[in-house]
């Protein structure tokens, strides 16, 4: 697998990285935002990357792409009735070429796989479930490890995921574990779907969220958990601005400089 990002993007302009240390040419600041889906990681990650002019790593998107492609290749049964072949998923993972293109209009990263846009489908809960199923495989995680780490060799990086602070960037400058109750996250998802004019069943969404949390937190390899030195933040009753302000303040305490 290869991953590339847009060189034109303001998020990738190394030269304007005001935190780069010229004495350590390969060492750029890394901020890790870990935690379960729906806790608000994506929003705070995007805002930090914009404010600091850092690159953004949406590691969940990597697992989602592998999950989606594995499903399309018939390696994952829709009803989870058959065991998944780890070697086949690994081979598929190694064959993918992924490009991340920050999209300022949507406030998210557009994704191309083997030159084709994957669209919003990759973000839905079904694909999140496929991602969580293939994310238990150590060899698949290993195949994704170095390319995630390589993203911190070009500019400052804000990385969003489950194991950013524990496994991928254990020496990161800033680690945050952002969580929220499963109920609060299900309510947010219901509101999102309703806003998009789609049907939403709170109980079904809550069950799916809890099942995914359980799988992500209890797998043997790189389970979702806070790093020992992470700031733990519960966003259940906080709005996005408050979460951002608290994370920003923590970054500043850790020596990250913001222009505004
Ligand atoms: O953050 P997300 O919802 O896009 O992640 C989708 C799934 O991918 C998540 O349920 C578990 C897996 N994942 C992971 O195992 N490690 C990461 N660093 C990011 C995501």
């Amino acid at each position: 697998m290869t991953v590339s990002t847009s060189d034109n993007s303001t998020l990738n302009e190394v030269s304007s990285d005001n935190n780069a240390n010229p004495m350590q040419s390969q060492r750029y600041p890394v901020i890790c935002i870990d935690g379960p889906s729906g806790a608000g990681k994506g929003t705070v990650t995007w805002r930090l990357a914009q404010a600091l002019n850092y690159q953004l790593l949406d590691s969940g998107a990597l697992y989602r792409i592998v999950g989606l492609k594995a499903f399309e290749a018939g390696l994952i049964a829709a009803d989870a009735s058959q065991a998944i072949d780890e070697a086949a998923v690994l081979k598929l993972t190694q064959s993918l070429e992924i490009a991340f293109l920050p999209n300022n209009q949507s406030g998210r990263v557009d994704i191309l796989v083997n030159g084709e846009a994957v669209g919003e489908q990759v973000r839905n809960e079904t694909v999140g479930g496929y991602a969580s199923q293939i994310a238990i495989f150590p060899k698949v995680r290993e195949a994704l490890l170095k390319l995630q780490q390589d993203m911190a060799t070009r500019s400052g990086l804000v990385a969003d995921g489950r194991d950013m602070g524990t496994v991928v960037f254990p020496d990161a400058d800033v680690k945050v574990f952002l969580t929220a109750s499963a109920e609060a996250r299900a309510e947010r998802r219901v509101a999102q779907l309703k806003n998009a004019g789609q049907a939403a069943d709170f109980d079904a969404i809550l069950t799916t969220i809890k099942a995914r949390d359980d799988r992500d937190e209890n797998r043997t390899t790189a389970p979702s958990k806070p790093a020992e030195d992470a700031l733990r933040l519960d966003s259940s009753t906080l709005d996005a601005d408050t979460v951002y302000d608290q994370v920003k303040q923590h970054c500043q305490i850790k020596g990250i400089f913001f222009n505004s």
Side-chain angles (χ1 to χ4, degrees), residues 37 41 59 63-64 135 141 162-164 212 216 219:
S37 267
K41 288 175 296 154
S59 64
Y63 289 93
R64 284 170 179 269
R141 301 198 72 86
R162 301 290 186 290
D163 61 341
M164 299 296 99
R212 185 137 74 95
D216 293 344
R219 66 184 175 222

Side-chain angles (χ1 to χ4, degrees), residues 121-136:
Q121 182 197 12
V122 81
R123 306 282 182 192
N124 72 33
E125 193 47 48
T126 306
V127 175
Y130 300 151
S132 175
Q133 289 178 66
I134 57 86
I136 64 169

